Amino acid sequence: MDIKQLYTDIILEYNQDLTNKRELVSPTIKEHGHNPNCGDDIDVAIKVREGMVEDIAYTGDGCAISQASTAMMAELIKGKSLMESRRLVQLFLAMIRGQVTDVNILEELEAAYTLKDIAKMPVRVKCAVLGWHTLELILNQLSDEDKSCLLYTSDAADEL
């Protein structure tokens, strides 16, 4: 199987995965993300307990890439600490920006690592990062005390 077909299969699989595409009952916080370029809308909700992401869910409509990327994100983040979640969000965004390319580091992103080449398709970048930026907003609202873990920052977040 060639790499393009594998990439397509993974996107389709996660686009159809409804495990975390649902309403979350009594979330700690919920945030809306919108991509005006293509009309993607994502609502991300998380339930936090003792500094851990106890549950995460999303709803909304969008292209296969935005839905798949958000599904990958939810799968990766569930059960992680807020600090680890923030670090993984920053790692994903740094990967998309091309700031981190070390495969050994990027493997931490699990399935989301398959989106590494999305930067070569600039029109799809905003689709891929929509859920991640929405989660980043949530994490930034929850607590400022552990922002020291932000290793991959950019003043050009709007470039994505």
Side-chain angles (χ1 to χ4, degrees):
M1 176 181 293
D2 86 48
I3 193 73
K4 288 181 184 178
Q5 184 59 47
L6 179 62
Y7 169 80
T8 300
D9 290 347
I10 291 171
I11 294 292
L12 291 175
E13 175 186 335
Y14 276 91
N15 180 49
Q16 295 170 357
D17 180 4
L18 302 179
T19 305
N20 294 305
K21 188 171 184 175
R22 57 188 163 76
E23 289 288 336
L24 185 60
V25 178
S26 303
T28 304
I29 189 167
K30 183 177 183 177
E31 189 65 52
H32 179 75
H34 176 69
N35 178 355
N37 292 341
C38 66
D40 294 340
D41 278 298
I42 298 281
D43 289 301
V44 176
I46 68 170
K47 190 178 287 188
V48 177
R49 184 171 172 204
E50 297 178 11
M52 303 293 284
V53 177
E54 182 177 59
D55 201 1
I56 181 170
Y58 68 97
T59 58
D61 297 305
C63 69
I65 290 175
S66 73
Q67 298 295 295
S69 182
T70 304
M72 291 171 185
M73 176 195 74
E75 179 180 87
L76 179 66
I77 297 302
K78 189 183 289 187
K80 301 283 193 299
S81 70
L82 294 175
M83 183 181 293
E84 179 68 0
S85 298
R86 187 173 280 119
R87 189 185 70 76
L88 290 167
V89 167
Q90 292 299 312
L91 178 59
F92 178 83
L93 296 173
M95 175 187 74
I96 297 298
R97 290 182 192 113
Q99 295 169 327
V100 178
T101 58
D102 185 325
V103 173
N104 294 319
I105 295 171
L106 295 176
E107 285 178 345
E108 289 182 70
L109 295 172
E110 298 174 10
Y113 171 65
T114 61
L115 298 174
K116 69 179 173 24
D117 291 328
I118 206 83
K120 296 175 184 172
M121 299 178 278
V123 74
R124 307 311 269 160
V125 168
K126 288 188 180 190
C127 302
V129 299
L130 179 61
W132 297 82
H133 275 306
T134 306
L135 179 59
E136 183 178 46
L137 287 172
I138 288 171
L139 295 170
N140 287 340
Q141 291 175 52
L142 284 173
S143 172
D144 288 337
E145 65 195 35
D146 62 349
K147 285 189 178 175
S148 62
C149 71
L150 297 180
L151 303 176
Y152 313 107
T153 60
S154 171
D155 294 332
D158 290 332
E159 288 178 18
L160 297 177

